Amino acid sequence: DNSATDSKDLRAKLVLLGDSGVGKSCIVLRFVRGQFDPTSKVTVGASFLSQTLALEDSTIVKFEIWDTAGQERYAALAPLYYRGAAAAVVVYDITSPESFSKAQYWVKELQKHGSPDIIMVLVGNKADLHKNRHVSSQEAQEYAEKNNMVFIETSAKTADNINQVFEEIAKRLPRPTA
Ligand code: GDP
Ligand code: MG
């Protein structure tokens, strides 16, 4: 029975990928609970949270968010999470070139094995640590453009641009044809 939900409401499976420690769990926590916990625990395997977002046209998007663990030993599990996902958020830390390389690995992985119409967002997190920046915005922007991705720099700590990540995805979700 669908009577309680508006026909234009959307549901979207979303997966976060990226090196361990880049802030994936903090981004999700900021979006879902509006909080930042600097002592947040390392994600084991993957965790699931859902959150709705109301758009300007009053459409409600329900995000089903899979927050994966970045460690190598879980890499083989990643396809379980990105398969069938409408959107993938690939996160790196702007202070860590290694994490940017790892992000590029995930992008290639998604291009090879993800759904061909998956919405991909490249997120440079920890923008509040700009004094220690080691990945330039321009380099990341160019990479994102080449790979048909949306690019956003965020801070889960200050909440900068966190909602924008989900709004950009929501805008691009396929709408049901009436
Ligand atoms: P994950 O392994 O990608 O899920 O990373 P976490 O979300 O567990 O975050 C790893 C560490 O980075 C934690 O110590 C967080 O407090 C810190 N962190 C996460 N996001 C930010 C941010 O935007 N700014 C700063 N300064 N630290 C952050
Ligand atoms: Mg985590």
Side-chain angles (χ1 to χ4, degrees), residues 14-115:
L14 183 157
V15 64
L16 284 103
L17 297 164
D19 221 350
S20 188
V22 296
K24 299 180 296 299
S25 298
C26 288
I27 289 169
V28 175
L29 226 67
R30 174 58 85 183
F31 177 59
V32 174
R33 302 220 183 98
Q35 295 170 348
F36 178 73
D37 176 4
T39 66
S40 71
K41 308 218 172 20
V42 170
T43 310
V44 177
S47 82
F48 174 80
L49 279 167
S50 74
Q51 173 69 320
T52 57
L53 182 70
L55 305 186
E56 272 176 13
D57 68 356
S58 82
T59 304
I60 306 285
V61 180
K62 184 176 186 198
F63 285 108
E64 298 168 340
I65 305 169
W66 287 95
D67 173 21
T68 65
Q71 297 93 328
E72 290 303 332
R73 66 178 179 279
Y74 298 117
L77 296 178
L80 294 176
Y81 303 106
Y82 63 67
R83 202 172 292 145
V89 176
V90 179
V91 186
Y92 66 94
D93 167 352
I94 68 152
T95 72
S96 162
E98 297 74 25
S99 75
F100 186 56
S101 300
K102 194 61 191 278
Q104 296 177 34
Y105 159 83
W106 284 117
V107 171
K108 287 191 197 103
E109 196 67 13
L110 288 164
Q111 287 167 341
K112 269 190 269 173
H113 306 297
S115 151

